[in-house]
């Protein structure tokens, strides 16, 4: 495990900038709630209470925050998405070698930090000392890999919801760590757990069945309801390729009483295709832009997505 040199004064400056930025984000979100006291926070699973029909606007899930304006899966990117038109903020969760849930997509830290090696080789202290922002832009130098707890502390002040993708396979004990953090921050009703791993979602059902789960699959073969029963999922997340290959897939998933999301769509052509199929949610790297597109395309209030906070 190799990291670049990080002298103590520079490290203290980075930590100070990080603390100041996190405080600013919390303050901004608090002001949003104070100034919009009548905004109702929608339950995380509420988007699936009434499934979309073809032509009805899908809800927006900001993929790893808003990756267009800040380095992915940092508090900076997540805060931007929470302040955008996104209904959900999607992020990835892994464990450090001392059992702390942190936000990181890749199995290694190489692409998005100044360190090298797998996430699981780092302690939380070691991981928090890496620079997770300079690769994106000099103005983000000193941004760090957040813990899940730091993100949930932001989420609790927001009117938005979160999709937490648990990377890899998680045991009951490991899922309990996440469940307890969610409960501690009072966001139990505003989080959905996603995973490619059926056993992880089964662990969620044993640990805390009140938190809804979503199964992420690159393709859907056979009966969608069988996948839901096996995993206890309320929705499936799949690729545009899977739906393009089988245009009847959305109807089949809805017939099974499940929601369906598509990842990761980043332009108006694919957004339009998704809406025309009647998908319930769109995962995008460009949540602000998708929000603007929906505002232009769906001018009637009744056509707007469920959880935008403007009803």
């Amino acid at each position: 495990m190799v990291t670049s040199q990080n002298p103590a004064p520079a490290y203290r400056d980075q930590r100070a900038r990080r603390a100041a930025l996190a405080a600013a984000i919390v303050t901004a979100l608090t002001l949003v709630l104070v100034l919009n006291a009548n905004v109702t926070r929608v339950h995380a699973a509420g988007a699936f209470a009434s499934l979309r029909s073809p032509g009805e606007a899908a809800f927006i899930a900001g993929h790893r925050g808003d990756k267009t304006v800040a380095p992915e899966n940092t508090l900076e990117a997540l805060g931007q998405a929470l302040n955008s038109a996104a209904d959900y903020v999607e992020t990835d969760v892994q464990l450090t070698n001392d059992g702390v849930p942190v936000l990181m997509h890749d199995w290694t830290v190489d692409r998005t930090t100044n360190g090298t090696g797998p996430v699981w080789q780092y302690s939380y202290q070691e991981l928090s000392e890496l620079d997770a922002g300079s690769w994106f832009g000099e103005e983000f130098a000193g941004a760090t890999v957040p813990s899940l707890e730091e993100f949930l502390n932001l989420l609790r002040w927001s009117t938005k919801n979160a999709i937490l993708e648990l990377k890899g396979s998680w045991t009951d004990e490991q899922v309990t760590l996440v469940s307890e953090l969610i409960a501690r921050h009072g966001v139990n009703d505003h989080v959905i757990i996603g995973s490619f791993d059926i056993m992880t979602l089964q662990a969620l059902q044993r640990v805390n069945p009140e938190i809804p789960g979503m199964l992420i699959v690159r393709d859907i073969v056979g009966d969608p309801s069988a996948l839901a029963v096996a995993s206890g999922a309320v929705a499936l997340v799949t690729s545009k390729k899977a739906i393009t290959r089988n245009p009847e897939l959305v109807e089949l998933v809805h017939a099974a009483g499940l929601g369906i999301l598509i990842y990761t769509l980043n332009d108006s052509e694919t957004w339009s295709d998704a809406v025309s199929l009647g998908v319930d949610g769109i995962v995008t790297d460009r949540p602000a832009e998708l929000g603007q597109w929906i505002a232009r395309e769906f001018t009637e209030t009744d056509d707007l997505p469920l959880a935008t906070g403007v009803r």
Side-chain angles (χ1 to χ4, degrees), residues 203-287:
L204 175 66
Q205 287 295 303
R206 290 189 294 270
V207 168
N208 190 347
E210 297 300 314
I211 300 178
M214 296 196 302
L215 181 64
I216 309 170
V217 287
R218 292 183 177 86
D219 205 350
I220 300 175
V221 179
D223 182 5
S225 62
L227 292 173
V229 170
S231 62
V234 300
L236 301 177
V237 187
T238 193
S239 65
K240 178 177 180 290
K241 184 177 181 180
I243 293 180
T244 301
R245 186 184 302 117
N246 182 7
E248 297 179 352
L249 188 58
V250 174
E251 186 177 348
L252 288 172
V253 172
H254 281 171
L258 304 172
I260 185 166
L261 289 74
I262 301 184
Y263 67 85
T264 304
L265 309 184
N266 291 324
D267 59 73
S268 59
E269 182 178 352
T270 56
W271 297 336
S272 181
D273 290 343
V275 167
S276 68
L277 289 168
V279 303
D280 302 290
I282 296 173
V283 182
T284 181
D285 295 329
R286 304 176 178 277

Side-chain angles (χ1 to χ4, degrees), residues 52-309:
R52 266 55 172 184
S53 300
E56 187 178 357
F59 67 76
I60 303 168
H63 188 225
R64 308 178 204 169
D66 189 332
K67 294 167 56 179
T68 65
V69 296
E72 65 181 64
N73 280 336
T74 59
L75 292 181
E76 292 83 347
L78 297 164
Q80 289 285 349
L82 288 172
N83 281 313
S84 75
D87 307 284
Y88 292 78
V89 176
E90 185 272 348
T91 188
D92 308 280
V93 185
Q94 299 188 52
L95 290 172
T96 61
N97 66 15
D98 51 349
V100 178
V102 294
L103 308 186
M104 174 74 69
H105 175 268
D106 296 3
W107 293 116
T108 71
V109 302
D110 299 48
R111 180 175 64 86
T112 57
T113 77
N114 63 334
T116 61
V119 175
W120 54 264
Q121 283 189 353
Y122 285 80
S123 68
Y124 174 62
Q125 179 62 39
E126 291 169 335
L127 197 67
S128 67
E129 292 173 1
L130 299 180
D131 182 337
S134 292
W135 66 273
F136 189 91
E138 291 182 1
E139 66 273 29
F140 294 103
T144 57
V145 178
S147 67
L148 175 60
E149 183 162 21
E150 287 176 303
F151 170 61
L152 294 178
N153 192 45
L154 288 184
L155 182 67
R156 67 187 296 185
W157 297 104
S158 172
T159 58
K160 308 300 178 66
N161 298 306
I163 298 170
L164 306 179
E165 181 185 339
L166 304 187
K167 307 292 288 186
S169 186
W170 291 56
T171 65
D172 287 28
E173 183 179 6
Q174 291 168 336
V175 172
T176 298
L177 288 173
V178 173
S179 176
E180 289 177 349
L181 282 175
I182 290 169
R184 187 181 307 160
H185 289 276
V187 292
N188 201 76
D189 293 337
H190 305 291
V191 169
I192 298 178
I193 299 293
S195 179
F196 279 94
D197 184 67
I198 288 178
M199 294 181 67
T200 296
L201 293 180
Q202 290 172 338
L204 175 66
Q205 287 295 303
R206 290 189 294 270
V207 168
N208 190 347
E210 297 300 314
I211 300 178
M214 296 196 302
L215 181 64
I216 309 170
V217 287
R218 292 183 177 86
D219 205 350
I220 300 175
V221 179
D223 182 5
S225 62
L227 292 173
V229 170
S231 62
V234 300
L236 301 177
V237 187
T238 193
S239 65
K240 178 177 180 290
K241 184 177 181 180
I243 293 180
T244 301
R245 186 184 302 117
N246 182 7
E248 297 179 352
L249 188 58
V250 174
E251 186 177 348
L252 288 172
V253 172
H254 281 171
L258 304 172
I260 185 166
L261 289 74
I262 301 184
Y263 67 85
T264 304
L265 309 184
N266 291 324
D267 59 73
S268 59
E269 182 178 352
T270 56
W271 297 336
S272 181
D273 290 343
V275 167
S276 68
L277 289 168
V279 303
D280 302 290
I282 296 173
V283 182
T284 181
D285 295 329
R286 304 176 178 277
E289 292 181 30
L290 176 52
Q292 293 168 358
W293 180 82
I294 287 176
R296 289 195 303 269
E297 296 294 317
F298 300 88
T299 56
E300 295 295 325
T301 301
D302 290 342
D303 290 334
L304 289 171
L306 177 64
T308 58

